[in-house]
Amino acid sequence: SVPFDWIAPALPTLAMLLFATVDPVLANTATAFANITADPKHVATVVECGASRRLVELLLHPSREVIMPCLQ
């Protein structure tokens, strides 16, 4: 497992990928955030980087491929 302090600086860039227009990019990015927040200690950092709002918005996406990782 990679130490979180190595990943944390990349979270704002990862959050920007949630605005991509390609479904696999959206799905993979949402999966990355799901994996990061599997440890409850990291949820606040993900919220602070602005990703949570976009993840909620993506629940209305027409593709199930995108919606499912957003639910994790």
Side-chain angles (χ1 to χ4, degrees):
S1 169
V2 177
F4 184 69
D5 57 336
W6 291 8
I7 298 170
L11 292 180
T13 302
L14 194 59
M16 288 175 50
L17 288 173
L18 290 171
F19 291 91
T21 57
V22 180
D23 289 358
V25 173
L26 291 171
N28 289 333
T29 305
T31 299
F33 277 113
N35 291 334
I36 292 166
T37 58
D39 185 338
K41 295 184 295 188
H42 307 313
V43 171
T45 307
V46 169
V47 170
E48 290 168 7
C49 82
S52 58
R53 179 182 179 133
R54 181 62 179 156
L55 288 165
V56 171
E57 290 172 354
L58 287 172
L59 292 174
L60 298 175
H61 195 278
S63 172
R64 187 169 221 153
E65 173 190 11
V66 174
I67 294 171
M68 295 310 289
C70 292
L71 290 171
Q72 296 174 340

